[in-house]
Amino acid sequence: MTATKHSRGEGGTRKYEAIRQELRARILSGHYEPGHPIPERVIADELAVSRVPVREALRQLERDGLVSIVAQRGAQVRQFSAENMQSLYQAREALEGMAARLAAERVDENYLEPFMAQFKGLIDRSITMDPAEESALGNDFHDAIAQGSRNATVIELLATIHDRVRLCRRLTYGHASPSWARRAAEEHLTIAQAISRGDADGAEHAMRTHVATWAGFLRTHLAGDSPLP
């Protein structure tokens, strides 16, 4: 994001939103780690803007669940405890399970074919991806299922927690072994196959199991237990 883009319309909605999207991208890409401070003055100087739109952007990111603002300390990237991560994943399990069920009832058998081809390639090792690429593929897959539910409320509710889930998932990039990455591909393929054959019960069950499994992975990591295999 350039200073030129931010030098127009000081205080306007487009400026504030552009700053929010820039900071959001930095957080979700790992440019800022959990707990990393995000000083208003430093960001304002970097982007050649006043501190007002930066402050508003940070407040919105706090509402989005990506930033924590602490009195006398300012803003920092949100850190997830095992407790608030579990709360988030309980909501995710219910919502994504419903999305998978609805998608199985409403999309055609070819809807998820591009994803299935990639998951099969990861499983038989004919395709290789780094952890960030695998995570991005997973994000796109879950988004496709949400859209495939064709339920505006489910889509909206999942969108409200999407970035928090992505931030949580990013915590595992360096901790998931190749065997767990393969397991993720296998679980995604199972979900996709159930949706493709119109098996609503199977799709919901597979999705709920998948989300619960990875909630357990995160819970173990955040608790500082021994690494998973």
Side-chain angles (χ1 to χ4, degrees), residues 1 4 39 74 82 95 109 113 190 195 227:
M1 182 169 63
T4 301
L95 288 168
E109 61 183 3
E113 181 56 39
T190 297
I195 291 173

Side-chain angles (χ1 to χ4, degrees), residues 101-115:
R101 168 174 287 278
L102 293 174
E105 295 172 346
R106 299 176 179 184
V107 300
D108 65 51
E109 61 183 3
N110 298 315
Y111 180 70
L112 295 174
E113 181 56 39
F115 291 102

Side-chain angles (χ1 to χ4, degrees), residues 62-222:
E62 183 181 39
R63 290 190 287 271
D64 293 340
L66 296 182
V67 164
S68 299
I69 300 177
V70 182
Q72 309 304 318
R73 293 176 58 186
Q76 64 179 37
V77 179
R78 182 177 177 180
Q79 294 176 294
F80 285 88
S81 67
E83 182 178 359
N84 55 38
M85 183 281 300
Q86 183 175 1
S87 175
L88 172 64
Y89 267 69
Q90 285 174 338
R92 183 190 178 200
E93 181 182 332
L95 288 168
E96 295 224 35
M98 176 60 70
R101 168 174 287 278
L102 293 174
E105 295 172 346
R106 299 176 179 184
V107 300
D108 65 51
E109 61 183 3
N110 298 315
Y111 180 70
L112 295 174
E113 181 56 39
F115 291 102
M116 289 193 286
Q118 292 182 84
F119 297 144
K120 289 174 182 175
L122 289 170
I123 293 166
D124 67 18
R125 295 187 173 88
S126 61
I127 295 175
T128 57
M129 294 183 182
D130 63 34
E133 290 172 328
E134 290 175 348
S135 184
L137 175 62
N139 288 333
D140 291 343
F141 175 63
H142 284 275
D143 286 347
I145 293 173
Q147 293 299 319
S149 75
R150 299 176 185 168
N151 181 298
T153 301
V154 169
I155 293 169
E156 180 182 2
L157 290 172
L158 280 171
T160 65
I161 67 171
H162 175 78
D163 283 350
R164 276 172 274 181
V165 169
R166 287 184 63 187
L167 183 57
C168 268
R169 290 180 66 201
R170 200 173 57 72
L171 297 174
T172 67
Y173 282 6
H175 300 270
S177 69
S179 64
W180 271 78
R182 182 184 175 114
R183 176 171 179 168
E186 290 171 344
E187 290 177 358
H188 284 153
L189 181 59
T190 297
I191 296 165
Q193 289 172 333
I195 291 173
S196 295
R197 64 175 179 264
D199 179 1
D201 288 342
E204 180 173 6
H205 175 74
M207 178 62 84
R208 282 179 169 271
T209 300
H210 169 66
V211 174
T213 296
W214 289 88
F217 187 120
L218 277 166
R219 196 160 51 243
T220 299
H221 171 55
L222 289 173

